[in-house]
């Protein structure tokens, strides 16, 4: 249901999108700028960066939900690792399952809420409407007069301003995301205006709506013992929220219980009708994925599972409950961008500074062999940071891309202009020797030589080594084959599996050499978040999401081109240009993805006939059959 608060090591595979969302973006591109300009100065409760939302401002609910879904029952989920805090807004601590990494999670609401049914589209939540001027220099949000905290206090403009200022101060993720917002001020009884340090950034008015709103009166108040609360520190005291659920009970590091808030202020909001139907949500913590898998098979611990192991998907569902129909398997198309999944190199380290070294490490990876022997040929190669979308770089740069790239040509690998980026293809088994020879030539060019069976620095004699970091014993399944490939080259490779807390801390502090992981989700309208992913400033900011340590002035300029793109065509061109530059720089070794979600669930749910077109799966739109069978079960809006 709710993602981990920090990046996890890559599961064997991650869902990749279908092409439907990309075609939506292309169809809408020509009218995007005029549509957004036409809406400038208006108050509206839906906003889209890609054309016009299919939902009018006064829509009542998403068209895929059951507005009369029964309420009640328990959703059981498994979380991996442990937790020690209910404060997800700081770098310290490991937040509990259900708390937000981005957005509101179960406990909080945001000004607007991103739609699961359409890309780059948001709808009113705490704010009932928003507006912006034609030059996109600011955005004003008008709060819903009914918005309330769980203690009954109204959500105020002061809460919004305090949340914005506090989050920017507490965490580099929010500081980067809202870098171009210079101030937030109250401009009406229920209005907050956010002023930007620039004009023409079409994304800024919308991303303001992603702001998680926190209760100023709670955090600036005192606890039951008279001690002043401190949002800059971890806490194990359940905080005050505004969302559809609140913390009902917990055992630190072992379990979390959430209960549905009966008098939640937002049950009639269009984003909530027919959703959040479970009476309780219970998380049980397991140490690793193997234990979690056994917990799912047992029943009563994890009610649904997004499978990320091809071996288990192909062979593991032979236990009695799956054979007799108690557990259902299905494949669900996913319309989202397949963000980069890779063996991520820590380019801050001297050993990865040379592009020839990074390219050599990419040449050695035999995806086809892993796909054949481990993955049942169920995956395709990851070939872009924006795979399966129109944002992915293909062929040679277009005319629009060249306008961006040519002024920086001296700082860009020449291949960007002359060759289509491709990854090694080991389909012909004789290719292994060719790629190994090419990789050795690149290492020699970088100052290394082969002495016996050891690849060493020619000047110092020190063997080239890599530590691969993982957080689960199952990670060795996908780390070890690549490690064997590297050892054939004479590299000393060590696989290090650590517990979840240590893993998270090492990622936050960039204390690793190589890690297998999937980057945070990309959208069809990339923007300010790219600074946190790939900018020079983020590379040296602990807690940022620039895990690879990309420090490249060309990438910085292309991120700005994405952020300031005046229309869809320019946005796509800038994103493709950045994509191809980073691919040719070999900052990571791309892994794999697939074009659907593998969903397995215990047959305890009622479900709408269709899921959301964009995200594919919305478990919050499900309900329990137990609630359905109860006489007089209340509807989801009550």
């Amino acid at each position: 249901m709710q993602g981990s608060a920090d990046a996890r090591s890559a599961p064997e595979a991650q869902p990749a999108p279908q092409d439907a969302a990309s075609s939506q973006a292309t169809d809408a591109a020509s009218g995007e700028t005029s549509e957004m300009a036409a809406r400038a100065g208006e108050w509206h409760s839906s906003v889209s960066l890609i054309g016009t939302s299919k939902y009018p401002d006064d829509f009542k609910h998403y068209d895929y939900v059951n507005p009369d879904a029964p309420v009640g029952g328990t959703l059981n989920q498994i979380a991996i690792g442990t937790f020690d805090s209910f404060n997800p807004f700081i770098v310290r601590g490991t937040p509990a399952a259900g708390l937000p990494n981005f957005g509101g999670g179960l406990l909080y609401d945001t000004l607007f809420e991103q739609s699961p049914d359409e890309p780059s589209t948001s709808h009113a939540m705490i704010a009932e409407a928003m507006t912006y001027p034609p030059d996109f220099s600011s955005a004003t949000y008008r709060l819903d007069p009914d918005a309330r905290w769980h203690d009954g206090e109204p959500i105020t403009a002061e809460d919004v301003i305090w949340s914005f200022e506090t989050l920017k101060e507490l965490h580099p993720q929010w500081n980067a995301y809202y870098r171009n917002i210079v101030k937030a001020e109250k401009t009406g009884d229920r209005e907050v205006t956010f002023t930007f340090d620039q004009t023409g950034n079409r994304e800024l008015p919308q991303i303001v709506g992603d702001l998680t709103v926190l209760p100023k009166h709670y955090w600036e108040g005192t606890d039951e013992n008279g001690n002043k609360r401190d949002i800059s520190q971890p806490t194990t005291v359940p905080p005050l929220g505004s969302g559809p659920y609140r913390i009902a009970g917990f055992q630190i590091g072992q379990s979390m219980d959430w209960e549905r808030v009966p008098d939640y202020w937002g049950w009639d909001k269009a984003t909530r009708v027919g959703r959040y139907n479970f009476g309780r949500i219970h998380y049980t913590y397991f140490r690793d994925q193997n234990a979690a898998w056994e917990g799912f098979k047992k029943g009563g611990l994890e009610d649904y599972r997004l499978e990320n192991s091809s071996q288990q998907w192909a062979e593991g569902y032979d236990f009695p409950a799956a054979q007799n129909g108690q557990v259902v398997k299905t494949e669900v198309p996913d319309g989202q961008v397949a963000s980069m999944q890779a063996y991520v190199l820590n380019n801050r380290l001297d050993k990865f500074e040379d592009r020839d070294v990074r390219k050599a490490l990419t040449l050695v990876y035999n995806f086809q062999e892993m796909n054949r022997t481990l993955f049942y040929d169920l995956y395709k190669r990851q070939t872009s940071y924006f795979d399966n979308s129109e944002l992915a770089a293909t062929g040679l740069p277009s005319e629009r891309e060249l306008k961006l790239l040519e002024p920086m040509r001296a700082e860009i690998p020449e291949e960007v202009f002359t060759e289509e980026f491709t990854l090694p293809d080991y389909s012909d088994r004789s290719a292994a020797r060719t790629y190994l020879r090419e990789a050795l030539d690149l290492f020699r060019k970088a100052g290394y030589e082969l002495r016996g069976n050891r690849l060493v620095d020619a000047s110092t004699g020190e063997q080239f080594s890599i530590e691969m970091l993982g957080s689960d014993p199952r990670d060795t399944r996908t780390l070890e084959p690549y490690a064997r490939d590297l050892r054939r080259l004479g590299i000393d490779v060590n696989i290090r599996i650590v517990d979840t807390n240590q893993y998270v801390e090492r990622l936050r502090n960039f204390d690793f050499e190589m890690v297998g992981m999937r980057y945070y989700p990309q959208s069809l309208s990339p923007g300010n978040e790219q600074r946190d992913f790939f900018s020079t400033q983020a590379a040296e900011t602990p807690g940022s999401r620039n895990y690879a340590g990309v420090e490249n002035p060309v990438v910085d300029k292309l991120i700005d081109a994405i952020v300031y793109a005046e229309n869809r065509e320019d946005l796509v061109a800038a994103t493709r240009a950045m994509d191809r530059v980073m691919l040719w720089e070999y900052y990571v070794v791309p892994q794999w993805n697939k074009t659907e979600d593998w969903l397995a669930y215990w047959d305890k749910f009622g479900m709408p006939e269709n899921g959301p077109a964009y995200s594919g799966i919305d478990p919050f739109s499900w309900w329990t059959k137990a609630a359905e069978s109860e006489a007089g079960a209340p509807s989801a809006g009550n």
Side-chain angles (χ1 to χ4, degrees), residues 273-493:
V273 173
R275 303 179 70 226
Y276 299 96
N277 306 309
F278 304 113
R280 296 181 74 87
I281 298 176
H282 176 79
Y283 289 92
T284 302
Y285 275 79
F286 282 79
R287 177 171 298 181
D288 55 49
Q289 293 288 351
N290 282 330
W293 170 240
E294 295 302 320
F296 174 74
K297 291 194 297 183
K298 179 180 179 180
L301 294 171
E302 186 175 38
D303 294 334
Y304 81 89
R305 175 184 179 88
L306 286 172
E307 186 58 71
N308 55 34
S309 166
S310 59
Q311 181 181 38
Q312 283 176 184
W313 191 249
E315 298 180 341
Y317 286 80
D318 58 354
F319 54 95
Q323 293 178 327
N324 65 26
Q326 288 179 284
V327 170
V328 180
K329 288 176 62 181
T330 186
E331 297 181 3
V332 182
D334 189 336
Q336 300 177 83
V337 178
S339 56
M340 177 58 74
Q341 180 169 306
Y343 300 104
V344 177
L345 309 176
N346 188 346
N347 291 269
R348 302 168 187 83
L349 304 177
D350 292 343
K351 67 176 68 181
F352 299 131
E353 185 176 2
D354 194 312
R355 175 175 171 264
D356 286 331
V357 168
R358 302 194 299 266
K359 181 178 180 180
L361 296 176
T362 301
L363 288 176
V364 173
Y365 173 50
N366 188 339
F367 162 73
Q368 282 75 22
E369 178 72 8
M370 284 184 66
N371 198 29
R372 182 177 63 84
T373 60
L374 295 182
F375 303 153
Y376 303 84
D377 282 323
L378 293 174
Y379 300 145
K380 73 181 189 68
R381 188 74 189 269
Q382 182 91 30
T383 58
S384 167
Y385 287 83
F386 301 86
D387 225 350
N388 285 357
S389 79
E390 66 169 347
L391 302 173
T394 58
L396 295 178
S398 66
E399 183 177 346
R400 284 178 183 265
E401 290 178 69
L402 288 173
K403 288 181 180 179
L404 295 168
L405 295 170
E406 282 289 358
M408 301 179 285
R409 187 165 189 143
E411 305 171 76
I412 298 173
E414 183 60 26
E415 298 96 321
V416 168
F417 300 93
T418 59
E419 298 179 35
E420 178 177 9
F421 181 80
T422 57
L423 290 164
D425 186 351
Y426 282 80
S427 298
D428 183 346
R429 298 191 182 185
S430 65
R433 185 171 301 175
T434 299
Y435 289 127
L436 187 64
R437 183 170 58 250
E438 291 180 11
L440 281 171
D441 288 343
L442 288 168
F443 265 107
R444 290 190 182 103
K445 183 180 175 182
Y448 294 86
E449 63 184 26
L450 199 60
R451 296 180 184 174
N453 61 354
R454 300 167 69 246
L455 183 69
V456 301
D457 186 308
S459 60
T460 68
E462 182 180 358
Q463 185 175 10
F464 192 93
S465 64
I466 297 175
E467 180 185 82
M468 292 180 166
L469 183 66
S471 63
D472 188 287
R474 295 200 314 175
D475 290 345
T476 58
R477 186 169 183 263
T478 54
L479 294 176
E480 183 58 43
Y482 185 32
R484 288 198 300 268
D485 294 338
L486 294 171
R487 290 175 185 133
R488 291 181 61 198
L489 199 62
I491 296 173
D492 178 22
V493 184

Side-chain angles (χ1 to χ4, degrees), residues 189-238:
D189 183 40
R190 293 184 288 110
E191 293 180 11
V192 178
T193 296
F194 298 84
T195 303
F196 311 143
D197 64 1
Q198 57 194 232
T199 59
N201 186 337
R202 300 167 303 108
E203 185 189 32
L204 278 176
Q206 181 170 340
I207 69 171
V208 170
D210 295 332
L211 178 68
T212 305
V213 181
L214 305 175
K216 179 182 179 181
H217 72 283
Y218 173 84
W219 285 108
E220 291 194 339
T222 57
D223 62 22
E224 59 185 12
N225 297 318
N227 299 315
K228 191 178 185 306
R229 299 185 178 96
D230 186 355
I231 197 172
S232 69
Q233 300 298 317
T235 180
T236 54
V237 177

Side-chain angles (χ1 to χ4, degrees), residues 100-247:
N101 162 61
F102 181 89
L106 299 176
L107 185 61
Y108 302 101
D109 288 322
T110 52
L111 289 173
F112 267 41
E113 182 166 284
Q114 293 187 11
S115 171
D117 205 26
E118 297 176 287
S120 304
T121 301
S122 298
H123 303 293
M125 199 56 232
I126 286 176
E128 65 179 3
M130 62 87 74
T131 186
Y132 52 87
D135 65 355
F136 304 101
S137 61
S138 66
T140 300
Y141 280 77
R142 186 176 69 215
L143 304 188
D144 190 319
D146 294 329
R148 293 286 188 276
W149 300 106
H150 291 160
D151 64 2
E153 290 294 314
I155 299 177
T156 66
E158 287 77 13
D159 289 322
V160 175
I161 296 168
W162 183 84
S163 299
F164 164 72
E165 294 173 347
T166 301
L167 290 176
K168 281 193 70 174
E169 182 180 342
L170 286 176
H171 203 292
Q173 172 182 323
W174 291 106
N175 185 275
Y177 197 54
Y178 291 133
R179 183 182 306 162
N180 297 114
I181 305 174
V182 295
K183 64 178 177 179
E185 57 186 336
K186 184 175 181 179
T187 52
D189 183 40
R190 293 184 288 110
E191 293 180 11
V192 178
T193 296
F194 298 84
T195 303
F196 311 143
D197 64 1
Q198 57 194 232
T199 59
N201 186 337
R202 300 167 303 108
E203 185 189 32
L204 278 176
Q206 181 170 340
I207 69 171
V208 170
D210 295 332
L211 178 68
T212 305
V213 181
L214 305 175
K216 179 182 179 181
H217 72 283
Y218 173 84
W219 285 108
E220 291 194 339
T222 57
D223 62 22
E224 59 185 12
N225 297 318
N227 299 315
K228 191 178 185 306
R229 299 185 178 96
D230 186 355
I231 197 172
S232 69
Q233 300 298 317
T235 180
T236 54
V237 177
L240 178 68
S242 63
Y245 290 86
R246 61 191 170 206
I247 297 172

